[in-house]
Short mmCIF file of all heavy atoms in Angstrom, two decimals:
data_model
loop_
_atom_site.label_atom_id
_atom_site.label_comp_id
_atom_site.label_asym_id
_atom_site.label_seq_id
_atom_site.Cartn_x
_atom_site.Cartn_y
_atom_site.Cartn_z
N LEU A 7 -9.75 -36.62 -6.12
CA LEU A 7 -8.67 -35.79 -5.62
C LEU A 7 -8.28 -34.69 -6.67
O LEU A 7 -8.03 -33.60 -6.31
CB LEU A 7 -7.49 -36.62 -5.20
CG LEU A 7 -7.57 -37.51 -3.96
CD1 LEU A 7 -6.46 -38.33 -3.83
CD2 LEU A 7 -7.82 -36.62 -2.70
N LEU A 8 -8.23 -35.03 -7.82
CA LEU A 8 -7.99 -34.11 -8.92
C LEU A 8 -9.12 -32.97 -9.05
O LEU A 8 -8.67 -31.85 -9.24
CB LEU A 8 -7.92 -34.84 -10.29
CG LEU A 8 -7.51 -33.92 -11.46
CD1 LEU A 8 -6.03 -33.61 -11.51
CD2 LEU A 8 -7.92 -34.59 -12.79
N ILE A 9 -10.22 -33.38 -8.87
CA ILE A 9 -11.40 -32.35 -8.90
C ILE A 9 -11.24 -31.45 -7.70
O ILE A 9 -11.50 -30.25 -7.83
CB ILE A 9 -12.78 -33.08 -8.92
CG1 ILE A 9 -12.94 -33.71 -10.30
CG2 ILE A 9 -13.99 -32.21 -8.55
CD1 ILE A 9 -14.17 -34.62 -10.41
N MET A 10 -10.85 -31.96 -6.55
CA MET A 10 -10.61 -31.17 -5.32
C MET A 10 -9.53 -30.15 -5.59
O MET A 10 -9.63 -28.94 -5.19
CB MET A 10 -10.41 -32.01 -4.14
CG MET A 10 -11.66 -32.57 -3.56
SD MET A 10 -11.34 -33.39 -1.94
CE MET A 10 -11.75 -35.04 -2.27
N ALA A 11 -8.41 -30.67 -6.09
CA ALA A 11 -7.30 -29.77 -6.41
C ALA A 11 -7.63 -28.62 -7.44
O ALA A 11 -7.28 -27.48 -7.36
CB ALA A 11 -6.07 -30.54 -6.95
N PHE A 12 -8.44 -29.05 -8.43
CA PHE A 12 -8.84 -28.13 -9.55
C PHE A 12 -9.78 -27.06 -8.87
O PHE A 12 -9.63 -25.82 -9.14
CB PHE A 12 -9.58 -28.87 -10.61
CG PHE A 12 -9.89 -27.97 -11.76
CD1 PHE A 12 -8.95 -27.75 -12.83
CD2 PHE A 12 -11.12 -27.41 -11.95
CE1 PHE A 12 -9.32 -26.94 -13.84
CE2 PHE A 12 -11.31 -26.60 -12.98
CZ PHE A 12 -10.45 -26.38 -13.96
N ALA A 13 -10.73 -27.51 -8.06
CA ALA A 13 -11.70 -26.56 -7.44
C ALA A 13 -10.98 -25.63 -6.53
O ALA A 13 -11.28 -24.39 -6.42
CB ALA A 13 -12.72 -27.39 -6.73
N GLY A 14 -10.04 -26.12 -5.72
CA GLY A 14 -9.29 -25.24 -4.80
C GLY A 14 -8.44 -24.17 -5.50
O GLY A 14 -8.49 -23.02 -5.07
N ASN A 15 -7.80 -24.61 -6.55
CA ASN A 15 -7.01 -23.56 -7.29
C ASN A 15 -7.97 -22.65 -8.10
O ASN A 15 -7.65 -21.41 -8.23
CB ASN A 15 -6.12 -24.30 -8.34
CG ASN A 15 -4.96 -24.87 -7.63
OD1 ASN A 15 -4.26 -24.21 -6.89
ND2 ASN A 15 -4.65 -26.13 -7.83
N LEU A 16 -9.14 -23.09 -8.57
CA LEU A 16 -10.01 -22.21 -9.21
C LEU A 16 -10.60 -21.16 -8.30
O LEU A 16 -10.83 -19.99 -8.62
CB LEU A 16 -11.10 -22.98 -9.92
CG LEU A 16 -12.14 -22.23 -10.78
CD1 LEU A 16 -11.41 -21.63 -11.95
CD2 LEU A 16 -13.17 -23.15 -11.26
N ALA A 17 -10.98 -21.57 -7.05
CA ALA A 17 -11.40 -20.73 -6.01
C ALA A 17 -10.40 -19.77 -5.72
O ALA A 17 -10.65 -18.45 -5.42
CB ALA A 17 -12.00 -21.50 -4.82
N ALA A 18 -9.14 -20.06 -5.59
CA ALA A 18 -8.09 -19.17 -5.29
C ALA A 18 -7.95 -18.12 -6.36
O ALA A 18 -7.70 -16.98 -6.03
CB ALA A 18 -6.82 -19.91 -5.07
N VAL A 19 -8.10 -18.47 -7.59
CA VAL A 19 -7.97 -17.55 -8.74
C VAL A 19 -9.22 -16.61 -8.76
O VAL A 19 -9.06 -15.38 -8.88
CB VAL A 19 -7.87 -18.27 -10.02
CG1 VAL A 19 -7.92 -17.28 -11.20
CG2 VAL A 19 -6.49 -18.97 -10.15
N LEU A 20 -10.33 -17.10 -8.52
CA LEU A 20 -11.49 -16.35 -8.63
C LEU A 20 -11.78 -15.37 -7.42
O LEU A 20 -12.32 -14.29 -7.59
CB LEU A 20 -12.85 -17.16 -8.78
CG LEU A 20 -12.90 -17.97 -10.11
CD1 LEU A 20 -14.14 -18.87 -10.05
CD2 LEU A 20 -12.90 -17.06 -11.29
N PHE A 21 -11.44 -15.81 -6.25
CA PHE A 21 -11.70 -14.99 -5.07
C PHE A 21 -10.38 -14.36 -4.51
O PHE A 21 -10.41 -14.04 -3.33
CB PHE A 21 -12.34 -15.92 -3.99
CG PHE A 21 -13.68 -16.45 -4.49
CD1 PHE A 21 -13.96 -17.78 -4.65
CD2 PHE A 21 -14.67 -15.58 -4.75
CE1 PHE A 21 -15.16 -18.29 -5.10
CE2 PHE A 21 -15.96 -16.09 -5.15
CZ PHE A 21 -16.15 -17.43 -5.38
N ALA A 22 -9.40 -14.23 -5.30
CA ALA A 22 -8.20 -13.56 -4.73
C ALA A 22 -8.47 -12.11 -4.54
O ALA A 22 -9.22 -11.42 -5.32
CB ALA A 22 -7.06 -13.71 -5.81
N PRO A 23 -7.90 -11.51 -3.50
CA PRO A 23 -8.13 -10.10 -3.22
C PRO A 23 -7.55 -9.31 -4.32
O PRO A 23 -6.40 -9.55 -4.85
CB PRO A 23 -7.52 -9.85 -1.92
CG PRO A 23 -6.59 -11.01 -1.64
CD PRO A 23 -7.04 -12.05 -2.54
N LYS A 24 -8.21 -8.23 -4.71
CA LYS A 24 -7.71 -7.29 -5.73
C LYS A 24 -6.60 -6.49 -5.24
O LYS A 24 -6.47 -6.14 -4.05
CB LYS A 24 -8.80 -6.29 -6.18
CG LYS A 24 -9.99 -6.96 -6.63
CD LYS A 24 -9.92 -7.40 -8.04
CE LYS A 24 -11.24 -8.00 -8.50
NZ LYS A 24 -11.34 -8.63 -9.66
N LYS A 25 -5.54 -6.24 -6.02
CA LYS A 25 -4.39 -5.42 -5.58
C LYS A 25 -4.82 -3.99 -5.61
O LYS A 25 -5.37 -3.47 -6.64
CB LYS A 25 -3.24 -5.61 -6.54
CG LYS A 25 -2.61 -6.94 -6.45
CD LYS A 25 -1.34 -7.01 -7.23
CE LYS A 25 -0.71 -8.46 -7.08
NZ LYS A 25 0.57 -8.42 -7.89
N ARG A 26 -4.60 -3.24 -4.57
CA ARG A 26 -4.91 -1.86 -4.57
C ARG A 26 -3.72 -1.02 -4.77
O ARG A 26 -2.53 -1.36 -4.56
CB ARG A 26 -5.31 -1.44 -3.18
CG ARG A 26 -6.70 -2.08 -2.76
CD ARG A 26 -7.14 -1.70 -1.34
NE ARG A 26 -8.31 -2.43 -1.05
CZ ARG A 26 -8.95 -2.22 0.16
NH1 ARG A 26 -8.44 -1.42 1.01
NH2 ARG A 26 -10.02 -2.85 0.44
N LYS A 27 -3.91 0.15 -5.50
CA LYS A 27 -2.80 1.00 -5.80
C LYS A 27 -2.44 1.69 -4.55
O LYS A 27 -3.33 2.15 -3.69
CB LYS A 27 -3.27 2.06 -6.85
CG LYS A 27 -3.57 1.52 -8.18
CD LYS A 27 -3.93 2.57 -9.07
CE LYS A 27 -4.23 2.06 -10.46
NZ LYS A 27 -4.57 3.08 -11.42
N GLN A 28 -1.14 1.87 -4.29
CA GLN A 28 -0.69 2.42 -2.98
C GLN A 28 -0.63 3.93 -3.27
O GLN A 28 -0.06 4.45 -4.25
CB GLN A 28 0.70 1.95 -2.63
CG GLN A 28 0.70 0.46 -2.35
CD GLN A 28 2.04 0.00 -1.82
OE1 GLN A 28 3.02 0.75 -1.92
NE2 GLN A 28 2.12 -1.20 -1.28
N VAL A 29 -1.31 4.66 -2.38
CA VAL A 29 -1.37 6.18 -2.35
C VAL A 29 -0.36 6.64 -1.34
O VAL A 29 -0.45 6.14 -0.25
CB VAL A 29 -2.77 6.67 -2.07
CG1 VAL A 29 -2.91 8.08 -2.10
CG2 VAL A 29 -3.74 5.99 -3.09
N PRO A 30 0.47 7.53 -1.75
CA PRO A 30 1.41 8.05 -0.76
C PRO A 30 0.74 8.78 0.33
O PRO A 30 -0.28 9.55 0.10
CB PRO A 30 2.28 9.06 -1.55
CG PRO A 30 1.58 9.24 -2.84
CD PRO A 30 0.59 8.06 -3.12
N HIS A 31 1.19 8.55 1.60
CA HIS A 31 0.45 9.15 2.71
C HIS A 31 0.92 10.63 2.94
O HIS A 31 2.06 10.99 2.74
CB HIS A 31 0.86 8.41 4.02
CG HIS A 31 0.46 7.00 4.01
ND1 HIS A 31 -0.89 6.59 4.12
CD2 HIS A 31 1.11 5.87 3.82
CE1 HIS A 31 -1.00 5.32 4.15
NE2 HIS A 31 0.22 4.84 3.91
N LYS A 32 -0.06 11.39 3.14
CA LYS A 32 0.26 12.81 3.48
C LYS A 32 0.66 12.97 4.91
O LYS A 32 -0.02 12.49 5.81
CB LYS A 32 -1.01 13.74 3.20
CG LYS A 32 -1.32 13.75 1.70
CD LYS A 32 -2.49 14.71 1.40
CE LYS A 32 -2.80 14.63 -0.09
NZ LYS A 32 -3.98 15.48 -0.29
N ILE A 33 1.70 13.70 5.11
CA ILE A 33 2.17 13.86 6.53
C ILE A 33 1.68 15.27 6.96
O ILE A 33 1.81 16.24 6.28
CB ILE A 33 3.72 13.91 6.49
CG1 ILE A 33 4.24 12.57 5.90
CG2 ILE A 33 4.31 14.14 7.84
CD1 ILE A 33 5.77 12.61 5.72
N ASP A 34 1.03 15.24 8.19
CA ASP A 34 0.53 16.39 8.75
C ASP A 34 1.77 17.23 9.18
O ASP A 34 2.74 16.81 9.60
CB ASP A 34 -0.29 16.10 9.98
CG ASP A 34 -1.55 15.32 9.59
OD1 ASP A 34 -1.94 15.44 8.41
OD2 ASP A 34 -2.18 14.60 10.37
N GLN A 35 1.50 18.58 9.26
CA GLN A 35 2.54 19.54 9.67
C GLN A 35 2.89 19.18 11.17
O GLN A 35 3.99 19.45 11.61
CB GLN A 35 2.06 20.99 9.50
CG GLN A 35 2.00 21.37 8.04
CD GLN A 35 3.43 21.45 7.43
OE1 GLN A 35 4.39 21.61 8.24
NE2 GLN A 35 3.50 21.35 6.12
N LYS A 36 1.82 18.94 11.98
CA LYS A 36 2.09 18.78 13.37
C LYS A 36 2.98 17.49 13.70
O LYS A 36 3.84 17.48 14.49
CB LYS A 36 0.72 18.65 14.10
CG LYS A 36 -0.04 19.88 14.13
CD LYS A 36 -1.35 19.71 14.86
CE LYS A 36 -2.20 20.95 14.80
NZ LYS A 36 -3.42 20.74 15.43
N SER A 37 2.64 16.37 12.97
CA SER A 37 3.45 15.23 13.22
C SER A 37 4.75 15.23 12.64
O SER A 37 5.68 14.57 13.13
CB SER A 37 2.62 13.97 12.65
OG SER A 37 2.58 14.09 11.22
N ARG A 38 5.03 16.00 11.65
CA ARG A 38 6.37 16.10 10.95
C ARG A 38 7.30 16.92 11.89
O ARG A 38 8.51 16.69 11.83
CB ARG A 38 6.14 16.68 9.62
CG ARG A 38 7.53 16.72 8.89
CD ARG A 38 7.47 17.14 7.43
NE ARG A 38 6.64 18.34 7.25
CZ ARG A 38 6.60 18.92 6.10
NH1 ARG A 38 7.17 18.44 5.09
NH2 ARG A 38 5.85 19.96 5.96
N GLY A 39 6.75 17.93 12.59
CA GLY A 39 7.66 18.75 13.42
C GLY A 39 8.10 19.96 12.63
O GLY A 39 7.77 20.15 11.55
N LYS A 40 8.99 20.73 13.33
CA LYS A 40 9.41 22.01 12.78
C LYS A 40 10.71 21.68 11.92
O LYS A 40 11.59 20.97 12.41
CB LYS A 40 9.72 22.95 13.85
CG LYS A 40 9.75 24.37 13.32
CD LYS A 40 9.90 25.31 14.53
CE LYS A 40 9.57 26.72 14.11
NZ LYS A 40 9.57 27.63 15.22
N VAL A 41 10.75 22.24 10.64
CA VAL A 41 11.87 22.02 9.84
C VAL A 41 12.70 23.24 9.79
O VAL A 41 12.22 24.41 9.68
CB VAL A 41 11.36 21.62 8.38
CG1 VAL A 41 12.60 21.40 7.47
CG2 VAL A 41 10.53 20.41 8.41
N LYS A 42 14.05 23.03 10.03
CA LYS A 42 15.02 24.21 9.97
C LYS A 42 15.72 24.18 8.62
O LYS A 42 16.23 23.10 8.32
CB LYS A 42 15.87 24.17 11.12
CG LYS A 42 15.15 24.24 12.57
CD LYS A 42 16.16 24.20 13.65
CE LYS A 42 15.43 24.31 14.93
NZ LYS A 42 16.36 24.18 16.09
N TYR A 43 15.87 25.25 8.09
CA TYR A 43 16.56 25.36 6.88
C TYR A 43 17.82 26.30 7.10
O TYR A 43 17.73 27.36 7.63
CB TYR A 43 15.71 26.08 5.71
CG TYR A 43 14.47 25.22 5.31
CD1 TYR A 43 13.26 25.47 5.83
CD2 TYR A 43 14.71 24.14 4.48
CE1 TYR A 43 12.18 24.68 5.42
CE2 TYR A 43 13.68 23.33 4.19
CZ TYR A 43 12.39 23.60 4.54
OH TYR A 43 11.32 22.86 4.18
N TYR A 44 19.00 25.77 6.62
CA TYR A 44 20.23 26.55 6.82
C TYR A 44 20.66 26.99 5.44
O TYR A 44 20.62 26.21 4.44
CB TYR A 44 21.25 25.69 7.54
CG TYR A 44 20.79 25.24 8.89
CD1 TYR A 44 20.31 24.05 9.13
CD2 TYR A 44 20.93 26.14 9.98
CE1 TYR A 44 19.88 23.76 10.39
CE2 TYR A 44 20.54 25.85 11.29
CZ TYR A 44 20.00 24.61 11.45
OH TYR A 44 19.66 24.24 12.67
N GLN A 45 21.29 28.25 5.38
CA GLN A 45 21.83 28.64 4.12
C GLN A 45 23.29 28.50 4.22
O GLN A 45 23.91 28.73 5.24
CB GLN A 45 21.44 30.16 3.87
CG GLN A 45 19.98 30.25 3.48
CD GLN A 45 19.72 31.68 3.21
OE1 GLN A 45 20.41 32.62 3.58
NE2 GLN A 45 18.60 32.04 2.50
N ARG A 46 23.88 28.27 3.05
CA ARG A 46 25.36 28.28 2.90
C ARG A 46 25.76 29.63 2.61
O ARG A 46 25.12 30.36 1.75
CB ARG A 46 25.92 27.32 1.89
CG ARG A 46 25.71 25.92 2.26
CD ARG A 46 26.22 25.07 1.21
NE ARG A 46 26.98 23.97 1.61
CZ ARG A 46 27.60 23.08 0.97
NH1 ARG A 46 27.57 23.14 -0.30
NH2 ARG A 46 28.24 22.10 1.55
#
């Protein structure tokens, strides 16, 4: 049982998915819509 616990945790460490860097999404002009600017 100890060997099974060790093997399971070792597999979890070795085969863990890599963390990816989050890239900010670019927003298309069409999906964002028209922006209105007001002056004071």
Side-chain angles (χ1 to χ4, degrees):
L7 291 173
L8 182 76
I9 289 171
M10 284 188 239
F12 189 85
N15 286 308
L16 185 63
V19 169
L20 293 178
F21 298 115
K24 306 278 183 186
K25 289 185 179 179
R26 295 183 183 179
K27 293 182 181 178
Q28 292 184 353
V29 179
H31 298 288
K32 293 182 180 180
I33 301 173
D34 295 335
Q35 290 291 339
K36 291 179 183 178
S37 64
R38 183 169 51 171
K40 200 170 194 179
V41 178
K42 296 180 181 179
Y43 295 100
Y44 298 99
Q45 288 184 342
R46 290 182 139 180

